[in-house]
Amino acid sequence: MSSFTSQTYCVHCGSECGHDALTVAETNFCCSGCKMVYDIIQNNNLCEYYNIHDTPGIKTIYKWSSQKFDYLSNKEIVNQLISFRNGEEEHVEFYLPQIHCSSCLWLLERLYQINPAIISSRVNFYNKKIYITYDSTGTNLKEVVELLASLAYEPHISLDGKKNTATEYDDQYGLSLGIAGFCFGNVMLMSLAEYFSAGTMEYSIHTFISIASIVISLPSLLYSARHFYMSAWKGLRKGILNIDFPIVLALFITFGRSLYEIASGTGIGYLDSMTGIIFFMLISRWLQSRTYKKIFFDKDYKSFFPVYACKIVNGISEYVELTTVKAHDILRIHSNEIIPVDGILSKGSAQIDYSFVSGESNPVVVEKGELVYSGGRQLGSNLEIVVAKEFSKSKLISLWNNSIFRTKHELNHDEYDKIANYFTLGVIMLGGIAGMYWMLQKEYTYMWNAIVTVLIVACPCALLLSKNFTYGNIARILSYNGFFLRSTELISRFNKVSTFVFDKTGTLTQPYYENVNYFGNRLEDSMKRAISSLLNQSTHPLGKSIQRFLLVKEHVSVDSFKEYSGKGIEGWIEDRHIKIGSADFVKISDSGQVGSVIFVMCDSKLIGKFIIHNSYRDGIDKMFAKLKNNFKILLLSGDNANETENIKKFIGQDAVLKFNQSPQDKLHSIKELQDQKENVVMVGDGLNDSGAFQQSDIAICVADDDKGFTPACDAIIEGRNLHLIPEIVRFLQSGKITIKVIFGISAVYNLIGLYFALQGILTPLVAAILMPLSSVTIIGLSYLWSLRSASKLLLKTTTL
């Protein structure tokens, strides 16, 4: 096997062979992945190809002979690289710069066939990352890395966390842009000499300038323009004429025409135009990328939605923004809360549900001194953890985009992308027809100008930008109004919404302003402390209300704590068994008082009840009045029906209200609506709502300052902005209108350009300059139109 460097194409996948290419027996492969897959297909068996054979209790594969990965036997280093560990199951993520084509994807996602101890391997092709889950009893991190290296996919392992692939790509793109600018500037200078000489230049000088122009233009054509070639080729392999195909065609035509004129002595060529096309098109893409990053929804999300943690400072708890949490801080994790960062368990009994991370719901018992991972949900009583990794190094943020929460609705490309694809084909045909017309008229200058400029000026980049930039602006404006989307692709779903379903407690009610009364036996200080200590294990808003009423500052430990979703809590405190919850939970009849009634039982004896008269959030009466005009309204509450009349004052006398709903009841109610062809938005506080969130078409979580993270939702709205939901929904629905308007303006822009291009009076260089101008136009129009729509609905358009 030897290096293969000539420009040819892979026998397996058809990709262009680059510097990683291989040739074996006169057969060419673009990468080692294609070579292996090709051989595997010939052998018809992946295991036979790798000569896997049985040994006592484990399968053995060909071992990487080098000892370069011996450092991965060090436990401290392994712990830095492992992103999740659940008993025998371990997760790891690697950056693989060698990922090149579909063969790489095929091979890397079948690692389990080579090493049976690998449970799964998932590739992010765009980011060139692989996520591997393996059984640590059958293999280890070192063997996983050795396997990848033996397949010619040696991972980039950085222990200092400084690897930034995005920055690396930006550097490469900057180099391409710099080379293109250098080539364009120098070719243009030499072309000016030709233009100003008016045919009087000596032949030897003319020849030198012509050859020098060809040589200088080659780096731009072969290196800087490779982004367009790769994109166009990938599209062709999928049977799609994407937006880069006309650009590539224009470059080849311009370069070929220039070589012909220079070689035949009939002209000086258009190498200045060709290098100008590359340079200005790269500027256009760079401008799009920079602006897109600036206004588009930040994929880390941490800068957008509020995530808070309960931090312990000198024995006193306070809620702080998660981004301020540092290593060695102490955090308190309540029952049913998501662990926000990796940490070491220092206090409490941990029963962690890692279903948000691994999909496995069986709770894992963690002992003091052991590591707990972000994304796990604590099922027992309060924990305290010592932060091991700061927020930015944790895996919590990726949960919101976990495939577990994406399977309910798969999104397809919309009509605008399809129109743009057809538009590309039409542009190519139009350029050919224009060229044919001018050729028949024997106007060859006009012929070449028409062919090339039509391909450039009518490129549908601006058409495709209309959707991306509009959605990016909408997400940005919504963030100013306390509404944060998991993905901008969700925006189009709001046009189909027909029904809104609301939770009550913690959603419609104020988190802090309640009128709490106690009726029953006199509460001694020890009983107040016991009740408050038990309530402190939970995050339920009614429990927090009672805690504020009791004003207990010091808490005692709770043993055998249990929380029954939608019903109540129980535990042992100072040798007393305490139960707090609904009438059904403590097994007594409800007397039907107005308000939320919470009963307290000690050692199987009822000692009293708390009646909480809820305070509702400001503006919800106007919110429901607006929503009722266009949507069906349903209330699903786990609370009793004592507040029925108060709620009807807000929602309306004909509203559908369902009380005493368990989490499963809520899920079934939403399923029934969907069976009736209703498109449902569920609005809740995330507590006991995870099932309903996943079942609904769109799930909106209401977050207050003491709320944690709820990965099952599609959007988060700050509680103080709940009354803005009607305006937010109208603004989201206006996005489709905005796109149509911008799309129409883009089409008019292209038609005007075509008018001049078809006449052959537009030069390729001018057309190349017009392309980035069209992008700037679309960015500006999208920005202004989105601002206009938001301002009409009285939504905030700035951070001020």
Side-chain angles (χ1 to χ4, degrees), residues 482-685:
F483 188 86
F484 313 98
L485 284 167
R486 174 171 58 80
S487 168
T488 56
E489 293 298 329
L490 294 164
I491 291 175
S492 60
R493 282 198 216 160
F494 281 86
N495 289 283
K496 302 177 182 178
V497 171
S498 60
T499 301
F500 271 84
V501 175
F502 286 87
D503 177 40
K504 179 179 79 73
T505 306
T507 302
L508 301 180
T509 60
Q510 291 276 16
Y512 304 120
Y513 308 105
E514 312 92 351
N515 182 7
V516 181
N517 294 289
Y518 171 74
F519 299 91
N521 300 339
R522 183 176 180 273
L523 295 178
E524 302 292 340
D525 289 344
S526 60
M527 180 55 67
K528 288 183 179 180
R529 185 167 59 249
I531 293 173
S532 185
S533 296
L534 184 60
L535 292 171
N536 193 51
Q537 308 298 310
S538 173
T539 57
H540 197 285
L542 293 181
K544 297 298 182 185
S545 299
I546 296 173
Q547 278 190 277
R548 287 188 287 271
F549 173 77
L550 294 174
L551 296 175
V552 173
K553 295 183 178 180
E554 296 182 1
H555 296 112
V556 294
S557 61
V558 178
D559 296 322
S560 302
F561 172 83
K562 291 182 180 179
E563 182 164 4
Y564 302 88
S565 186
K567 297 180 179 179
I569 56 178
E570 66 176 336
W572 284 85
I573 303 171
E574 297 176 335
D575 297 327
R576 290 182 290 188
H577 180 237
I578 309 292
K579 294 183 70 175
I580 303 175
S582 65
D584 289 340
F585 182 63
V586 298
K587 294 181 172 56
I588 65 170
S589 59
D590 188 355
S591 55
Q593 294 96 336
V594 175
S596 299
V597 183
I598 305 298
F599 295 89
V600 180
M601 186 173 281
C602 179
D603 295 332
S604 301
K605 295 180 180 179
L606 182 68
I607 63 172
K609 62 185 177 184
F610 294 92
I611 299 178
I612 303 170
H613 297 280
N614 294 304
S615 297
Y616 291 88
R617 296 183 189 270
D618 295 335
I620 66 167
D621 52 343
K622 295 179 181 178
M623 176 189 75
F624 283 117
K626 295 174 182 176
L627 287 176
K628 284 191 299 182
N629 294 330
N630 301 294
F631 307 101
K632 294 180 181 179
I633 305 295
L634 177 67
L635 181 98
L636 299 177
S637 175
D639 204 354
N640 58 50
N642 297 337
E643 287 268 324
T644 300
E645 292 306 317
N646 284 338
I647 294 172
K648 283 188 174 182
K649 293 177 183 177
F650 298 113
I651 303 181
Q653 295 300 315
D654 57 345
V656 179
L657 311 178
K658 294 184 179 182
F659 294 96
N660 300 307
Q661 298 287 292
S662 68
Q664 196 65 25
D665 292 334
K666 294 180 180 181
L667 187 152
H668 286 155
S669 293
I670 292 175
K671 182 68 168 60
E672 288 176 1
L673 288 169
Q674 292 171 329
D675 290 340
Q676 300 168 17
K677 307 302 181 183
E678 298 290 336
N679 201 285
V680 181
V681 175
M682 173 68 193
V683 184
D685 66 345

Side-chain angles (χ1 to χ4, degrees), residues 27-304:
T27 303
N28 304 315
F29 302 94
C30 66
C31 63
S32 59
C34 276
K35 168 68 172 65
M36 292 177 185
V37 174
Y38 182 83
D39 289 342
I40 290 165
I41 292 173
Q42 301 303 313
N43 283 281
N44 295 317
N45 192 305
L46 188 61
C47 291
E48 288 181 8
Y49 180 76
Y50 280 97
N51 297 318
I52 299 175
H53 57 277
D54 288 317
T55 59
I58 191 171
K59 296 225 176 178
T60 305
I61 64 167
Y62 170 76
K63 297 295 183 182
W64 187 247
S65 59
S66 171
Q67 296 181 343
K68 67 184 295 185
F69 301 117
D70 284 351
Y71 70 95
L72 292 177
S73 299
N74 185 303
K75 288 186 177 181
E76 292 184 2
I77 293 176
V78 171
N79 289 335
Q80 288 184 56
L81 297 175
I82 295 296
S83 60
F84 173 75
R85 181 184 281 117
N86 182 7
E88 298 172 352
E89 182 179 307
E90 295 182 352
H91 296 191
V92 67
E93 168 189 331
F94 291 122
Y95 171 63
L96 305 182
Q98 305 91 341
I99 292 178
H100 177 76
C101 62
S102 58
S103 294
C104 303
L105 187 69
W106 187 92
L107 181 63
L108 291 170
E109 293 195 340
R110 285 165 175 77
L111 296 180
Y112 63 89
Q113 294 184 22
I114 304 174
N115 184 348
I118 293 178
I119 299 170
S120 68
S121 52
R122 179 171 54 87
V123 174
N124 184 320
F125 189 84
Y126 180 78
N127 292 324
K128 298 184 182 296
K129 288 186 177 181
I130 186 170
Y131 305 89
I132 298 175
T133 302
Y134 62 88
D135 183 350
S136 61
T137 62
T139 189
N140 54 49
L141 183 63
K142 179 184 175 183
E143 290 182 354
V144 170
V145 173
E146 286 176 340
L147 171 60
L148 290 171
S150 70
L151 298 174
Y153 293 98
E154 181 178 334
H156 182 285
I157 298 177
S158 175
L159 299 178
D160 58 10
K162 293 181 180 180
K163 175 68 179 172
N164 190 330
T165 58
T167 301
E168 187 176 84
Y169 175 79
D170 287 343
D171 291 343
Q172 293 177 358
Y173 195 89
L175 179 61
S176 297
L177 183 58
I179 291 174
F182 171 82
C183 296
F184 169 63
N186 283 277
V187 171
M188 176 59 77
L189 284 174
M190 287 185 283
S191 298
L192 288 175
E194 289 273 12
Y195 296 147
F196 288 126
S197 68
T200 61
M201 182 178 291
E202 292 184 13
Y203 178 77
S204 59
I205 298 176
H206 166 75
T207 303
F208 172 79
I209 289 178
S210 298
I211 295 174
S213 295
I214 294 173
V215 172
I216 293 176
S217 67
L218 286 176
S220 180
L221 180 69
L222 300 179
Y223 180 79
S224 297
R226 74 190 190 284
H227 305 279
F228 306 122
Y229 304 149
M230 290 187 290
S231 175
W233 177 242
K234 288 176 183 177
L236 285 175
R237 285 177 55 204
K238 296 178 181 179
I240 298 171
L241 295 177
N242 63 23
I243 63 175
D244 286 320
F245 185 80
I247 305 301
V248 172
L249 201 55
L251 292 177
F252 288 165
I253 291 172
T254 306
F255 186 68
R257 176 190 175 189
S258 299
L259 289 182
Y260 170 77
E261 289 193 1
I262 293 171
S264 64
T266 57
I268 61 174
Y270 290 88
L271 294 174
D272 55 339
S273 295
M274 185 203 72
T275 53
I277 291 170
I278 297 171
F279 179 59
F280 287 111
M281 287 302 299
L282 287 175
I283 287 179
S284 175
R285 299 294 170 84
W286 176 83
L287 176 65
Q288 294 168 17
S289 175
R290 299 299 295 180
T291 308
Y292 194 72
K293 289 178 182 178
K294 188 69 176 176
I295 68 173
F296 202 69
F297 194 52
D298 187 342
K299 284 296 180 184
D300 284 339
Y301 302 110
K302 64 186 180 184
S303 301
F304 284 85

